[in-house]
Each structure stands twice: as C-alpha cells, then as structure tokens.
Amino acid sequence: MTKRKAEHALEKRTQHALDEHEMDLYLNTTELDAAVLEAADVEAKRSCEEDKPVERTDEVHGEQPAPAPTPELLPGMVLLKGFLLPSEQQELVDASRTMGLQEGGFYKPTYASGAKCRLHQMCLGRHWNVVTEQYEQVRTNHDNAPVIPLPERWKELCKRSLAAAVAVDPRVMGSCKRMEPDVCVVNYYKKAGRNGMHIDKDESEEAMEWGSPVVSFSIGSKADFAFAPHYPERGEGVPIVALESGDVLLFGGPSRKVVHALTRVYPNTQSEWLRMRSGRLNLTFREYKPTE
C-alpha cells in the first residue's frame, strides 16, 4: 500500500469512528450564501408556476404555488414532487444538525442480533427502540438519553403537506379526521445507506386500524424507494420510485401498511445550494395515537 493510500485509509477509519454515534451534517461543507438560497427559492416558485399546480398557503412565506403531485402510486399513497422550498429544506437540515449533535441526537442503532443499521437515526417526540420495536420516552437501547421534543415548525410543515396530499387523494387520511404529528424519526443515509423491506407498524392500535398517515420528507441525495402492498416473494419485482430533495411522500388509509424499503442512495446528487454533507436526510412524521 502506498503512503497516500495508507493515509487515506487512516483518514476513513478516523472519520468512521467519529461518525459512529456523533454525526455532523455540515461535515466537509462551507457556509451557505443567503443570496444563493434566495435565488433557489425564486427558481423553485417559477418552475411551479410553469407547471400550473394548485395553490397552497404558507403561513411564513405567504401564498405560493405547490408542485403538482405525481400520478397515484397506490390508493392512499401520494408523492408531492418538490413540495418543500429550498429554504425550507435548509431550515430542516440546520435544525437537524443542531439537534443531532445534542444529547439524544444522531446515533447508529444496533438490532437485537447485533447487526448495525445502515443509517444514523434520531427520534423526536418519542423514541423508537429498534430492539423492542416499541416507542418510549428515553433511549434505553443506547444511552438512556431523554427524547428531544418535536419542533412546532416541523409539525406545521407536516400538516401543510398533508393538506396538499388530501386534495389529491383523500384516502391518505384513512378514517382519521385530522393528524397531529407527535413523532418524527429522522434518518440520515450515506451513499451505502439502506433500509430493508418493512412496515411502519409500531404506532398505536388506533393509528394502524384507522390508517393514520405517515408523512415523509426527503432532503439531499436522490434515492430509490421500493414499495408493495405485501411482502414480495423471492424473485418478485416491486415498483420503485425516485425520491429527490424536496419531495414529500405520504401513505395512509388503505396504504398505511404498505411494505417499503430504501434500496439505493445516489451520492453527490444534491443541489449545490444545499449545505449538507453528501447523503440523504429523511424525516418521517406520524401520530402515535390519533384521537379522531
């Protein structure tokens, strides 16, 4: 091994050790120029207007057009392409980075088998224990850290995207009259990050029976999302949809128990205006126990 290769290998091992449980979303990035982000917002709004989408109301930014959704994937499943403005995406990254470096922030979960998850995770509102597959108020499977509260601003963005999805397919709400998100699972995937086929099934009995929606934000690198109404048989193909930065995917009602996976992350595919290390940041909102 050459000296340069040896130095590179040592650098990777050192960074891996640093990233094991303390993960900085700003690693190897430079400070963002506010003017660049503002220009990205203007371009995003212009593109939406050209697509002639429906209108949405944003309490912070005022009225602005929302991107047209893609065709229906499954009943009760909606993908809103480019719904989050660039400034909103950066806002979510900034907040995730701050919380991620605090007590209760990002860590790398370990399954009961001892295998490591191929992602970094942080839970807000309630902690999802990967070992017991139950929610709790303290992270007992790692460091007993208290759970970080779910920011009100994040709840607002979640409910706004849900309103847009309901306009496309009301079935996304299941039998719920409304959703008050109180849980957000934040996952960060590097280029080798994956999440195998699974069902989001550990919320309350009411949430599952009523089909309370799951709302998923994608930020950063493009990724492939596989989904199916049932666990596929060996060799059975499953549909795959590309998720890009700013996309919002929602599933509820008849699709609440959709089987899904994150099968691939495309490194270095995020926009230049986004200050975040290469990879995919995914924010998934739920209501643990809906009341109506």
Side-chain angles (χ1 to χ4, degrees), residues 15-286:
Q15 186 58 57
H16 177 75
L18 291 173
D19 277 354
E20 183 66 11
H21 292 304
E22 185 172 307
M23 209 269 307
D24 188 350
L25 290 174
Y26 284 175
L27 183 71
N28 297 328
T29 66
T30 57
E31 188 171 351
L32 190 67
D33 185 341
V36 172
L37 193 58
E38 183 178 351
D41 269 4
V42 171
E43 176 60 24
K45 293 176 183 179
R46 185 190 63 78
S47 297
C48 291
E49 290 169 354
E50 290 179 353
D51 291 338
K52 298 181 180 179
V54 296
E55 292 287 320
R56 77 177 184 189
T57 298
D58 182 335
E59 295 178 4
V60 175
H61 298 283
E63 289 192 358
Q64 60 188 34
T70 59
E72 181 181 295
L73 304 172
L74 288 173
M77 190 174 183
V78 177
L79 175 58
L80 302 173
K81 294 295 294 180
F83 185 81
L84 297 170
L85 286 172
S87 59
E88 293 168 342
Q89 295 174 53
Q90 189 62 57
E91 176 187 346
L92 292 167
V93 170
D94 294 344
S96 295
R97 190 245 181 185
T98 298
M99 292 185 289
L101 293 174
Q102 296 175 1
E103 182 183 22
F106 283 116
Y107 81 113
K108 199 164 191 178
T110 302
Y111 293 111
S113 65
K116 292 278 189 182
C117 293
R118 297 176 69 178
L119 52 81
H120 285 75
Q121 189 171 92
M122 167 176 63
C123 298
L124 309 177
R126 293 173 186 257
H127 173 67
W128 181 69
N129 187 319
V130 69
V131 177
T132 64
E133 297 187 343
Q134 294 180 343
Y135 285 97
E136 55 191 20
Q137 292 300 322
V138 177
R139 192 160 65 182
T140 61
N141 62 307
H142 179 55
D143 56 2
N144 291 313
V147 178
I148 299 173
L150 178 57
E152 291 299 320
R153 169 63 172 158
W154 288 26
K155 296 179 185 179
E156 172 194 320
L157 290 172
C158 173
K159 289 191 282 188
R160 193 184 70 198
S161 62
L162 183 59
V166 168
V168 176
D169 185 356
R171 292 171 293 183
V172 73
M173 286 297 296
S175 59
C176 298
K177 294 181 180 179
R178 63 175 184 168
M179 177 194 182
E180 295 295 334
D182 55 10
V183 177
C184 182
V185 178
V186 184
N187 288 332
Y188 171 79
Y189 301 86
K190 297 180 183 178
K191 63 181 180 180
R194 301 288 186 275
N195 200 350
M197 281 291 194
H198 66 283
I199 298 173
D200 291 350
K201 59 178 176 53
D202 298 320
E203 288 70 49
S204 67
E205 183 177 334
E206 292 87 348
M208 302 308 297
E209 288 185 356
W210 299 355
S212 179
V214 173
V215 181
S216 175
F217 292 177
S218 292
I219 302 174
S221 296
K222 175 182 174 182
D224 285 343
F225 180 86
F227 63 95
H230 59 266
Y231 278 101
E233 300 291 337
R234 182 181 294 275
E236 180 183 357
V238 296
I240 291 179
V241 63
L243 297 179
E244 299 174 291
S245 198
D247 290 352
V248 179
L249 177 69
L250 308 93
F251 51 92
S255 286
R256 180 57 176 83
K257 297 179 182 178
V258 65
V259 182
H260 57 282
L262 195 288
T263 59
R264 182 178 179 183
V265 175
Y266 295 84
N268 303 312
T269 54
Q270 62 202 50
S271 299
E272 293 183 357
W273 49 257
L274 184 67
R275 186 184 185 189
M276 189 181 87
R277 63 190 295 177
S278 179
R280 176 178 185 260
L281 186 66
N282 177 223
L283 284 60
T284 306
F285 299 87
R286 314 106 191 276

